[in-house]
Every structure is written in structure tokens, then in C-alpha cells.
Amino acid sequence: MRLFIKRVVVSSAVVLSVLITYIAAGIFMPLRFNGETAEIYIPRGATLRQAINILSQACGMRNLTALYLVGRMQGIGRRLKPGYYLLHDAIGPLEVLQKFSDGDTIKTKVTVIPGHSLREIRPAMTAAGIVDFDGKCNDPAVMVQLKIDGPSLEGYLLPETYIIEKGTPAMEVIAMMVRLLRARYPQDFAVRAKDLGMSEHQVLTLASIIEKEAQLDTERPIISAVYHNRLRLGMPLQADPTAIYGLKGFGEGVRATDLRLDTPYNTYKIVGLPPGPIASPSLASIRAAIHPSGVPYLYFVAKKDGSHHFSTTYREHLNAIQRYKRQGVH
């Protein structure tokens, strides 16, 4: 009898040892992929078992039951986050499930720089894997959905650094960026715009021109005043950056021939604001657009240090142009 009990105990111990080894292999054994890394996608609504099957297909793991049981015991199935995951060789199966639970997905950093136009923003979004971003920039249905009273997203993408999960739909990214812009508006944005007789679209249009003209924050409200004064008097804004918008990059510079081009955006040819923004304005430029300085200036010319000389009369402006040309300012 003792011998029988001893054999049972030994057999049980062996079975337990095998079971422990089986479970340990299922949750701790380092995974191996066909290469040093593997990228896998967990779809929205996937169950724990489905997620484990996807993992198994990527690495050939066969011991799935133990991982499933441990995952269920830890409640991971209720916390699975969809998305793309980057996995490295030698990671343990339980670590992978924890990544699925934590939502440690592949993320990309995208920075929208103040003064950048869609022409410059599009490549960054495409490089970040935002599929169909380009196609939605001028989509009338998108403008209606986001209540944008203009032809495109130009000017409505807040300059900011965004952390975007791979696979996020373009519309979701765009809506987030536009929503953030509006959330960051100055508190008196709507009141000031109404007092000035301007719509949101017009404010952003003016702010985008200020953004392209101003290098110093202290000058933004003064440049804004110049344009407000011109608008009030019915004078053309004559803002150089508008002449090349949509035709070439701002970095290519503005030539005298550009100022003679007949485009809807060329404020040397049209009176009033162009049809829409020409770039993404900073919050400082938006604030300046609704809070212009109380100065009578109608003209300004750039100086060598990036600041500007402001003038009230055309004669004074011509004198300033000659003075700074002699100093090598273009």
C-alpha cells in the first residue's frame, strides 16, 4: 500500500512538473519571429483567443491554451486594445498580452510647424502612414462635416506635435487636429471676430498671412493692424506670400513677376482677403488677427534683422524702401 501511494505521489509530482513546464512554456518561453521583429495587427473587437491566434500565426507558437487561460485569469481579454504592435525576438508571450492590454501600439510623431501649408504638411502625414490624408484635404464632404467654410483644410490644422497611432483613419486624425485648434482659440475669439465683422474662416485667413509675414511676436499685432487698416479703407493687402500660394513653395521666394500673377490668392490683384488661409497660423498670429494694435500704419518693409519698419504714408514707405535697399535688405 505504501509503495502504491508512493508511486501515486511520484506520478502526481511528475504530472504536476510536466503541467508547470507546459504552462511556463506557454507564458514565458521567448518567442521567435521570422526576422528580429514582427508587426502584427489586432483588429477592433478581437477576442483574447483571436488575439492569441494572430500572435501564433506570426511566431509559430503552438502552446496556446496555457496563455489563453492565464490571460483570462488576468482579465486581459476585457482590456485588449486594437492597433498595430511591433514585437521583438525573445519577448515572452505574457509580455505580449500585456502590451495588447496596455495599448502599447506603434506610434508616430508628426509635427505641424507654424507657417507650413498643406503642401508641406501632406508629405509628413503620408510618411506617418495616415492613409488617404491627401485625398481628404480638399474633400467638400469633409469641409461640411467639420463645419469649415472654405475650400480645404488649409489653416485649420493646429501647429503642434501629434502622437498618432499607426492605422488611425485619416478622418479621425483630421477631426482631432481641427477640434484641438478650436479648443485652443483665445476665450474671446467669437466675440472679437463678431465685433470685427469677421467669420472664423476670415480670421484664420488673416492670421495665416500674419504668420508668413511676422518673424517677431511683438510685431504680429502691428502687422495685423496694417492689414485691418487696409481692409477698412478698401486697399489691396499686397501681402507677398499670397502671390505664390498654391504655385510654389514659400521657401522658393517671391519675385516681382509673381506679384503680377492673376490668381484668387494674389492680394496684389484682388481687394480684400483671399478665399482662404495660405498656411497654418500659430495661436500668436490668431490672437494678433483679432487683437490688432491701435496704430495708423498702412505699410511695412522688412529690415535686415527680420523686423520691419512701419509707415503711415506712402511717401514715408518709399523712403524706407530706399533706405533698407541701400543696407542690402531685400
Side-chain angles (χ1 to χ4, degrees), residues 136-151:
K136 295 189 180 300
C137 288
N138 306 88
D139 186 343
V142 172
M143 304 310 121
V144 171
Q145 184 175 339
L146 298 177
K147 298 180 179 179
I148 293 175
D149 185 23

Side-chain angles (χ1 to χ4, degrees), residues 209-276:
I209 298 174
I210 295 169
E211 185 65 44
K212 296 307 297 182
E213 293 281 21
Q215 292 190 35
L216 304 177
D217 283 346
T218 53
E219 289 192 347
R220 294 180 199 273
I222 305 174
I223 291 174
S224 175
V226 170
Y227 291 135
H228 275 285
N229 292 340
R230 284 179 165 250
L231 288 170
R232 187 174 60 255
L233 295 173
M235 296 174 61
L237 297 185
Q238 296 185 329
D240 288 3
T242 65
I244 60 172
Y245 174 72
L247 302 177
K248 62 182 182 180
F250 293 118
E252 298 176 57
V254 181
R255 298 182 178 181
T257 52
D258 297 325
L259 306 182
R260 295 192 291 270
L261 295 174
D262 286 312
T263 77
Y265 283 84
N266 187 351
T267 55
Y268 279 83
K269 291 289 187 176
I270 65 167
V271 176
L273 292 167

